[in-house]
Amino acid sequence: MRATAVLINVKRPNFFIVGAPKSGTSALSQYIDEHPNGFLCAWKEPNYFSTDFPSHRLARTEKQYLSLYARARDHHQAVGEASVWYLYSETAARNIHRFDPDARIVIMLRNPVQMIRSLHTQMVRDFAETEEDFERALDLEPQRRAGKLPERRYKVYDPSTYLYTDVGKYAHQVRRYYNVFPAEQIKVIIFDDFVADTKAVYEESLQFLGLPPDGRTHFPRVNPAETYRWPRLARLMFDFWQTASSIKRRLDIVYPLGIWPMLRWFSVEPAAPEAMPAALRERLSDVFRDDVRELSQMLGRDLTHWTGDARVELDPQADLPTGGADGAATTPDADVGAVEPKAALPAGTPEGRRKQSCTSTESERPLRVIYTMAEDIGGQKGSSQHYRSVVEGLQTCGHEVFVVAPSFRLPRNRRELGDANLFIRLAPVRMMFLVFQVLLMAALPAVALLWQPDAIMIRALPGAYWTVALLAKLLGIRVVVEVNGIPWEEMHSRGLPRPAKWVAHCTMRLLCRCADTVVSVTPGISRELQRMTGMRPSRFVTVQNATDARRIQGGDGHAIRKRLGIADDAFVVGFVGTFDIWHGTQELVASAEHLSPERRDTVVYLLAGDGECRPATEAAAERCDGRFIFPGAIPHEEVKHWLAAFDLGVFVSHDRRKCQYGTSPLKFWEYLAAGLPVLVTRDPNLSAIVTHHDMGFVIDEASPASIAHAVDLAYRQRERLVDVGRRNAEWVACHGTWHRACQRLEGILRDGLAPPSP
């Protein structure tokens, strides 16, 4: 009762991916978790409902279990978890039904011959199985049924999970769920389908869970087969993790701290699948033949090709479930061990083009990159969003990224940044970024020894980062420095003293000179850094900021307007971002007084975000008769809905000195992706892009009169601007995505050569 009372406002899970092991559950759960309206609990496989497998259960009380969903929000329509042993468990189906009779159940099934081989490989990797020879492990099953289990095994797997052939007999396991849940609440996905057409199965799964399509076209590989570079070191690391997990349980901590993924990441490498001997395959086919025939009859789908049999005649009178053997399954990137070779994707499809463009050649191995910045990884500022987007983009291209960053508060879902990460918790006070840089310098030799990176990418910030870059060079690691602006010019805008600007100038110069390549977001910044350092032009590359068009498009602007009481025929001038001193939000407010009288009743200003200048901006807007709306900071996943409510996206800056080298703000690219015309002030970068592609309006200065004149012109041309916005969205989808940007970064990280800009 107490647990229920404490967590009464926590969203409860309404769907469960229940297995089988090694059948794509990790991939599907990650894809659903990345859907804007999907949420999976903080820890995959909590196994709360498999009460007959006590050693598997990470959450042992309802309070612990529901705490895993504490970060689920109202917009998450599908909230769930994936525990692969729920299918094999004899108690999980009844316990889940008791918890929520209306729950949706997703069952994923793979050829049992392949599945148990992959399961054995994983258990060896997890130091749970001491017999590394798969066939010999099968021979030991009679002894294990009698209670003789592997010696020195870790208490990670329940004794019955060592009976591999029992785990692979699906028919009675699936029937348990049909015995307690209606067929329409169950979806069965066959792994063969999942591999063949990931997109189709993903979309069918969304429909089954009541989620709208999100337009996803790329499905990265998840949880591939791995082996350890240094088995003895890995065992020591595993011992440490087991000790830490034991302490966590005693302290009643359920939420994952990311210790084992980080440790394991240092020492794993992809494992080449081994061919199964024909005699062993035939032996296992005989074991599973009758069970596969029974499963085929139950699901109304012939699966006897799994055991090499001829087609089975399905009984039309059988009581067949209607909940789901039709589920095409999705992913060439599911969690696979030994899997059949995938067919090449047609070059003309979006998936084929993406696959062709991700890595330079199939023969080049994925890169291992340490990516670090000295700002809060959990923040909502553009720098944090840029950082997370680059991490995801490089991972999408198949590379391994080790995230090293400070955190004042952890990101909502750390899996968005991959399994390997190191978040250093720091207090949100001034100069803490220097503490982080010093800590990173001290830890870099150990990280480099254990993880063996190909490159380290540093998001530049004045301070001690040059020592990190210098040490990396001495260790033989390629160094790439990212520069988003000229820091001493920003310091000038903030009124910082001359000595601080001098220190920033000196440390940035040292950092750039230690780098193999310096990547900046505008050509003007590259030219200034080249002038300042005296380095060769070939060491400077420009990669513009970008956006994820898939996450920006498709917003419900009508709902936002209705919530705020904005008329459908109103012309909404919008801003989304940080209220910084150079962003011109106060000039935007002042421009409202310069509008012609007939426009004042039809133009509404919607300024979303937060920052140091927000109070002054709101105070200035008080005399504007409610024409300005300030909703405050909004979660990034909801930005698309607010952008869809705009008619014109605005980025104006009155700080000519800061903008003299050009800017490339994220909000600009998001405006374009949302299909908006834009209004910008003249600078060497943005105004050139907007003018060349006819994307909107460019004004010479951020004066109230100039802004008002441009808004008035936009209102009069609003019908034409609909076509302008459509072209903007199409242009960004081709040239302004993070995928494109990370393609260029890939070449830089590999050998310093970037493909030409589109």
Side-chain angles (χ1 to χ4, degrees), residues 367-558:
L367 294 169
R368 296 169 69 87
V369 181
I370 296 174
Y371 188 21
T372 179
M373 76 168 184
E375 298 181 68
D376 179 21
I377 185 64
Q380 291 298 316
K381 293 185 66 174
S383 57
S384 300
Q385 294 174 19
H386 169 104
Y387 184 82
R388 295 192 293 263
S389 298
V390 171
V391 170
E392 182 179 349
L394 289 173
Q395 290 172 339
T396 297
C397 286
H399 305 299
E400 303 175 44
V401 183
F402 183 53
V403 175
V404 184
S407 177
F408 305 151
R409 54 200 174 278
L410 291 179
R412 180 189 73 81
N413 189 345
R414 288 180 288 174
R415 284 178 302 185
E416 294 173 357
L417 302 177
D419 291 330
N421 47 56
L422 176 59
F423 298 132
I424 300 177
R425 300 299 297 272
L426 296 174
V429 297
R430 287 181 179 270
M431 308 305 289
M432 270 299 173
F433 68 92
L434 282 175
V435 175
F436 169 79
Q437 292 171 352
V438 172
L439 291 174
L440 176 58
M441 181 187 66
L444 186 60
V447 172
L449 176 64
L450 291 171
W451 205 61
Q452 298 182 346
D454 299 294
I456 179 171
M457 189 158 62
I458 300 173
R459 185 163 172 82
L461 199 65
Y465 254 151
W466 68 271
T467 61
V468 175
L470 178 60
L471 183 57
K473 291 281 287 185
L474 294 175
L475 293 171
I477 304 171
R478 181 172 186 79
V479 178
V480 175
V481 171
E482 269 193 312
V483 183
N484 198 52
I486 304 297
W488 46 93
E489 300 297 355
E490 179 177 330
M491 290 177 170
H492 181 271
S493 300
R494 295 187 181 278
L496 295 181
R498 187 184 297 271
K501 291 185 283 185
W502 180 83
V503 170
H505 190 281
C506 292
T507 55
M508 279 293 292
R509 187 171 187 271
L510 288 169
L511 176 60
C512 290
R513 293 192 66 84
C514 290
D516 294 283
T517 306
V518 179
V519 179
S520 61
V521 295
T522 72
I525 294 174
S526 292
R527 288 191 294 269
E528 172 60 15
L529 293 175
Q530 178 195 344
R531 183 199 64 77
M532 178 191 74
T533 60
M535 295 161 56
R536 296 191 308 273
S538 59
R539 292 172 66 181
F540 293 88
V541 178
T542 298
V543 178
Q544 297 269 2
N545 272 328
T547 188
D548 186 342
R550 176 177 58 87
R551 294 180 177 174
I552 294 299
Q553 296 170 352
D556 188 355
H558 178 74

Side-chain angles (χ1 to χ4, degrees), residues 59-117:
R60 299 177 183 274
T61 67
E62 185 171 321
K63 178 182 178 181
Q64 290 179 338
Y65 180 64
L66 292 180
S67 70
L68 298 175
Y69 301 91
R71 293 181 178 177
R73 297 294 179 260
D74 290 340
H75 66 274
H76 293 125
Q77 302 170 22
V79 177
E81 59 135 312
S83 294
V84 298
W85 293 107
Y86 283 165
L87 185 64
Y88 187 48
S89 167
E90 295 184 359
T91 62
R94 294 193 303 273
N95 289 337
I96 294 173
H97 185 268
R98 194 176 298 117
F99 177 82
D100 183 3
D102 298 322
R104 297 272 169 164
I105 305 297
V106 178
I107 300 174
M108 304 185 73
L109 302 177
R110 182 181 181 181
N111 183 331
V113 177
Q114 299 170 2
M115 186 275 288
I116 64 171
R117 170 67 176 273

Side-chain angles (χ1 to χ4, degrees), residues 350-370:
E351 294 87 344
R353 289 193 297 269
R354 185 181 294 265
K355 178 64 177 177
Q356 285 182 331
S357 64
C358 270
T359 53
S360 302
T361 67
E362 287 295 329
S363 62
E364 289 182 332
R365 65 175 178 82
L367 294 169
R368 296 169 69 87
V369 181
I370 296 174

Side-chain angles (χ1 to χ4, degrees), residues 106-405:
V106 178
I107 300 174
M108 304 185 73
L109 302 177
R110 182 181 181 181
N111 183 331
V113 177
Q114 299 170 2
M115 186 275 288
I116 64 171
R117 170 67 176 273
S118 184
L119 177 61
H120 171 265
T121 300
Q122 176 176 304
M123 293 178 69
V124 170
R125 186 195 70 187
D126 291 347
F127 305 108
E129 172 64 82
T130 57
E131 179 51 67
E132 298 186 9
D133 183 87
F134 176 52
E135 188 168 8
R136 175 60 181 160
L138 294 175
D139 293 337
L140 291 175
E141 282 195 1
Q143 300 177 32
R144 293 176 174 182
R145 290 184 193 279
K148 187 176 181 180
L149 295 170
E151 297 180 359
R152 291 192 63 232
R153 69 185 182 90
Y154 290 94
K155 294 181 179 179
V156 175
Y157 289 87
D158 188 84
S160 63
T161 58
Y162 290 87
L163 305 176
Y164 299 106
T165 55
D166 286 1
V167 177
K169 293 180 178 179
Y170 300 137
H172 68 286
Q173 302 176 35
V174 173
R175 191 176 297 280
R176 273 198 292 263
Y177 281 85
Y178 280 109
N179 286 341
V180 296
F181 285 97
E184 60 270 15
Q185 290 176 218
I186 300 175
K187 181 174 182 61
V188 178
I189 295 175
I190 304 302
F191 183 74
D192 303 346
D193 300 332
F194 194 49
V195 172
D197 194 348
T198 303
K199 184 174 184 292
V201 175
Y202 172 68
E203 291 176 350
E204 291 177 8
S205 300
L206 294 184
Q207 184 178 10
F208 174 71
L209 297 175
L211 295 177
D214 60 352
R216 182 175 189 138
T217 58
H218 182 61
F219 301 89
R221 188 177 179 86
V222 177
N223 195 21
E226 297 170 332
T227 187
Y228 291 113
R229 290 188 179 87
W230 313 290
R232 292 184 179 179
L233 176 61
R235 181 175 286 276
L236 291 175
M237 294 163 61
F238 199 89
D239 284 335
F240 172 76
W241 174 68
Q242 288 289 92
T243 302
S245 298
S246 177
I247 295 173
K248 274 181 56 185
R249 283 192 292 270
R250 293 186 180 185
L251 295 177
D252 200 26
I253 299 174
V254 182
Y255 211 85
L257 301 180
I259 296 175
W260 173 241
M262 183 186 71
L263 294 176
R264 185 175 63 82
W265 195 268
F266 286 128
S267 59
V268 299
E269 60 183 358
E274 298 180 8
M276 184 181 296
L280 178 58
R281 181 180 295 275
E282 183 60 31
R283 168 187 168 184
L284 291 175
S285 295
D286 290 340
V287 170
F288 293 119
R289 183 165 286 111
D290 292 341
D291 186 78
V292 169
R293 285 179 173 271
E294 182 182 352
L295 181 67
S296 298
Q297 292 288 355
M298 186 191 312
L299 300 182
R301 173 169 176 174
D302 184 14
L303 299 172
T304 53
H305 60 281
W306 282 351
T307 54
D309 291 355
R311 292 181 59 85
V312 65
E313 291 295 329
L314 301 177
D315 182 2
Q317 303 300 321
D319 184 15
L320 301 178
T322 59
D326 60 337
T330 15
T331 177
D333 308 305
D335 48 339
V336 296
V339 65
E340 297 89 357
K342 298 178 292 194
L345 293 167
T349 64
E351 294 87 344
R353 289 193 297 269
R354 185 181 294 265
K355 178 64 177 177
Q356 285 182 331
S357 64
C358 270
T359 53
S360 302
T361 67
E362 287 295 329
S363 62
E364 289 182 332
R365 65 175 178 82
L367 294 169
R368 296 169 69 87
V369 181
I370 296 174
Y371 188 21
T372 179
M373 76 168 184
E375 298 181 68
D376 179 21
I377 185 64
Q380 291 298 316
K381 293 185 66 174
S383 57
S384 300
Q385 294 174 19
H386 169 104
Y387 184 82
R388 295 192 293 263
S389 298
V390 171
V391 170
E392 182 179 349
L394 289 173
Q395 290 172 339
T396 297
C397 286
H399 305 299
E400 303 175 44
V401 183
F402 183 53
V403 175
V404 184

Side-chain angles (χ1 to χ4, degrees), residues 645-660:
F646 296 176
D647 293 297
L648 178 69
V650 176
F651 176 77
V652 293
S653 178
H654 62 82
D655 192 336
R656 287 182 174 272
R657 180 163 178 168
K658 185 178 187 301
C659 296
Q660 63 180 310

